Amino acid sequence: MATKRIPSFDSHNPATAEVVGTYPIMNAKQVGEIVSHARNASIQWQKLGFSGRKKVLLAWSTLIIKRIDHIATLISLETGKPVGDAKLEVSIAVGHIAWAARHAEEIMRTSYRAPGLLLANMSATVQRSPLGVVGVIGPWNYPLFTPVGSISYALAAGNTVVFKPSEYTPGVGMWLEEIFSEVAPFADIFTTITGLGETGGALCTSGVDKLSFTGSTRTAKIVAAQCATTMTPVVLECGGKDPVIVAADANLERAVDATIWSAMANAGQSCIGAERVYVDERVADKFISLAVELAQTIHAGAPGDGNYGPATMPSQIKVIQSHIKAAIKDGGTCAYGGPESVKAPFVQPVILLNVPEDSVAIEEETFGPTIIINQVKNMREAIDLSNASSYGLGANVWSKRQGKRIAAQLACGMVAINSTFSFAAIASVPFGGVKDSGYGRVHGPEGLLEYTYPRTVVRTRFNLPLNLLSFKRKVREENLVVRLTGWLKGRFG
Ligand code: NAD
């Protein structure tokens, strides 16, 4: 008798194309069943309370750190990034789990609000309640850090979670679930499902109470449309085209060091990686020569060899190549590397100069180890060009005296002054973007509150002779309210 074949897919080592693992492609029925188990578990998970959940989450984070060698090797195998980079990623993710576990209670504490003069006999409170089941869809570029930024905050708030990792990094997603099950007091609190885009689509319409998506802007729009059919709210963490602004008073050595790392580390596959630099023309020559000098010392290669690895997703190579070619065709020049730097699956560092602002290389996310350096006359021009993008994720500003002033004028979700990437590792601050970079936030109190809903509870503390919400109301009482409104100019609060 012929047995029915379960559809599956392979994950690959992008440096060698070898198969790392094989995983089932889950269909809508299977996803629905898992979500319904997660819904049943959510009642018990909520009952555990903040201290019970904190214990579980801290035990999870401790176990992840204990097994860091194993998971860093697996991350490196599935993404191609150096093991050292993977370890850093795991460490930062663990910081987020611990922060969410320790702060959930205080962030979700019932808040007391002023009822206003007219309703001074009432008490007004806002409670915070977990949503129920949260669906998380993750990308491959930081396959542990990125989803954990949603998963741990949703769990700490009292939700159960169903997670679909990227099809390029399913092993990391499965490992996270396995490790969680070692510390979980019961089943179905955190479950990983595997599959391609369609499995993600099934999660969107499965009836989860919120969907937290991290990935490309193109997929985010499909996810939002799918979620709209079931009125499922979404958090969308999408791509970016992060600018770096370098003022004349910047510490150029540090600015170059951080910018080249930000642009090239992880093979340029960072949503908050530097993609374009606007440098004051007075210091541009020095900045460019230092950047080229530094780029000469780094190279792409397999883990253990390169400073960064291959393109994790083979199809990205074409995008990177087309952006380099477009930049040159549109009038830009190469200061270091060029089209010949692309040798799949690796891309060696590329520095491009004076690329017109209407080039696709400036307008779209490249997601490769390339950086464009354009000169500006002043900081006003740098700010305007930074803000002209359809994206608005992060930005870096390098200046000794003007950092805060420039940062306040940038249309984006996060700015690092005299630093790069740092906001992603500070658990207490929200992470997310505006415009095509998405909406909603992960991390910090704002990120935790995304996985809760506010419940307003007002209570009569004592009865007033004036009862406006009654058919027994008198005309003179109505007139009194109107007169009061006039005297107080509407300031009831
Ligand atoms: P992607 O959009 O291709 O895929 C992301 C996830 O969506 C994957 O799990 C994929 O299986 C799933 N998916 C695909 N089609 C779907 C569908 N129709 N319905 C539901 N799910 C579907 O993105 P990627 O290539 O994995 O990740 C790279 C992108 O992610 C880059 O643009 C990067 O900037 C962005 N990113 C953003 C952040 C952030 O926090 N803002 C962090 C990391 C990465």
Side-chain angles (χ1 to χ4, degrees):
M1 201 175 81
T3 50
K4 214 172 150 201
R5 223 183 114 254
I6 299 168
S8 63
F9 68 103
D10 296 332
S11 78
H12 296 93
N13 175 340
T16 61
E18 278 163 27
V19 172
V20 177
T22 302
Y23 298 87
I25 297 178
M26 293 189 179
N27 60 30
K29 186 166 171 277
Q30 292 165 313
V31 173
E33 279 165 11
I34 288 167
V35 169
S36 108
H37 289 148
R39 187 164 300 291
N40 292 338
S42 76
I43 299 156
Q44 242 181 305
W45 183 238
Q46 285 179 30
K47 273 197 191 145
L48 212 55
F50 289 106
S51 63
R53 291 195 293 270
K54 183 163 127 185
K55 258 191 216 145
V56 176
L57 291 171
L58 291 181
W60 187 36
S61 66
T62 306
L63 203 52
I64 293 174
I65 278 294
K66 255 194 199 155
R67 312 249 174 101
I68 194 164
D69 287 339
H70 176 83
I71 187 55
T73 305
L74 182 56
I75 293 174
S76 171
L77 266 179
E78 286 196 327
T79 63
K81 69 176 73 177
V83 174
D85 283 5
K87 283 190 179 168
L88 212 58
E89 173 180 348
V90 176
S91 302
I92 296 169
V94 161
H96 279 283
I97 300 174
W99 192 90
R102 292 199 171 98
H103 290 83
E105 184 167 16
E106 154 205 339
I107 294 164
M108 288 174 69
R109 192 162 284 149
T110 297
S111 70
Y112 290 81
R113 309 286 170 91
L117 275 182
L118 208 57
L119 293 159
N121 61 322
M122 308 290 297
S123 85
T125 56
V126 181
Q127 305 172 345
R128 281 283 168 175
S129 189
L131 294 162
V133 186
V134 171
V136 175
I137 297 180
W140 46 262
N141 59 337
Y142 291 94
L144 193 121
F145 163 76
T146 297
V148 157
S150 296
I151 296 165
S152 58
Y153 289 77
L155 288 172
N159 304 280
T160 51
V161 172
V162 178
F163 168 45
K164 196 208 88 69
S166 164
E167 51 273 42
Y168 290 93
T169 52
V172 177
M174 288 308 298
W175 184 87
L176 262 183
E177 184 208 69
E178 280 159 29
I179 289 292
F180 188 87
S181 69
E182 287 189 37
V183 298
F186 49 88
D188 304 322
I189 300 165
F190 169 49
T191 316
T192 296
I193 57 173
T194 55
L196 313 178
E198 258 178 44
T199 306
L203 186 59
C204 293
T205 52
S206 64
V208 289
D209 300 288
K210 191 153 193 171
L211 197 290
S212 195
F213 169 84
T214 308
S216 64
T217 304
R218 193 182 52 79
T219 310
K221 290 178 183 174
I222 300 169
V223 163
Q226 291 172 135
C227 285
T229 62
T230 44
M231 281 289 279
T232 305
V234 286
V235 174
L236 302 175
E237 297 293 343
C238 315
K241 191 75 188 174
D242 283 13
V244 177
I245 294 179
V246 184
D249 67 344
N251 178 331
L252 292 184
E253 277 80 14
R254 288 191 71 94
V256 165
D257 187 27
T259 302
I260 293 296
W261 181 85
S262 172
M264 317 278 173
N266 205 27
Q269 306 167 124
S270 304
C271 54
I272 50 168
E275 293 235 352
R276 45 195 181 120
V277 175
Y278 297 113
V279 56
D280 189 303
E281 59 187 9
R282 287 169 288 176
V283 293
D285 287 349
K286 176 92 174 129
F287 184 92
I288 293 163
S289 75
L290 286 172
V292 170
E293 213 175 281
L294 183 56
Q296 283 164 350
T297 67
I298 61 176
H299 72 281
D305 167 28
N307 301 88
Y308 60 82
T312 305
M313 196 169 61
S315 59
Q316 196 62 24
I317 290 280
K318 269 202 186 125
V319 177
I320 300 167
Q321 201 160 34
S322 73
H323 283 197
I324 298 170
K325 283 186 179 159
I328 297 165
K329 186 169 154 277
D330 294 339
T333 55
C334 300
Y336 187 72
E340 72 286 358
S341 306
V342 183
K343 295 181 196 103
F346 299 101
V347 180
Q348 300 303 332
V350 178
I351 299 177
L352 296 155
L353 305 179
N354 306 320
V355 179
E357 291 295 320
D358 60 358
S359 172
V360 69
I362 285 273
E363 290 182 338
E364 289 178 13
E365 185 182 50
T366 306
F367 230 48
T370 65
I371 185 81
I372 292 169
I373 306 175
N374 283 353
Q375 303 188 23
V376 289
K377 291 203 165 8
N378 50 46
M379 290 299 98
R380 181 72 259 153
E381 189 184 0
I383 294 164
D384 290 345
L385 293 176
S386 295
N387 291 345
S389 175
S390 64
Y391 291 104
L393 193 56
N396 301 191
V397 179
W398 291 89
S399 169
K400 291 199 182 94
R401 282 174 296 275
Q402 309 167 66
K404 285 190 194 164
R405 187 183 63 77
I406 295 169
Q409 297 174 73
L410 293 174
C412 62
M414 298 144 312
V415 185
I417 301 170
N418 298 331
S419 159
T420 189
F421 273 53
S422 36
F423 40 69
I426 301 174
S428 59
V429 295
F431 184 103
V434 295
K435 302 191 272 184
D436 280 356
S437 294
Y439 47 80
R441 291 291 180 267
V442 293
H443 306 173
E446 292 82 356
L448 194 128
L449 291 176
E450 286 281 0
Y451 308 112
T452 69
Y453 67 92
R455 185 191 303 105
T456 293
V457 178
V458 299
R459 181 177 59 84
T460 304
R461 291 189 298 140
F462 53 89
N463 290 323
L464 286 179
L466 193 71
N467 189 3
L468 299 172
L469 309 178
S470 163
F471 287 116
K472 294 177 194 157
R473 190 176 65 207
K474 307 279 184 324
V475 173
R476 63 181 155 75
E477 288 173 337
E478 290 168 5
N479 291 341
L480 178 65
V481 170
V482 173
R483 273 207 304 282
L484 266 174
T485 310
W487 289 336
L488 297 168
K489 297 192 170 37
R491 286 193 294 263
F492 290 135

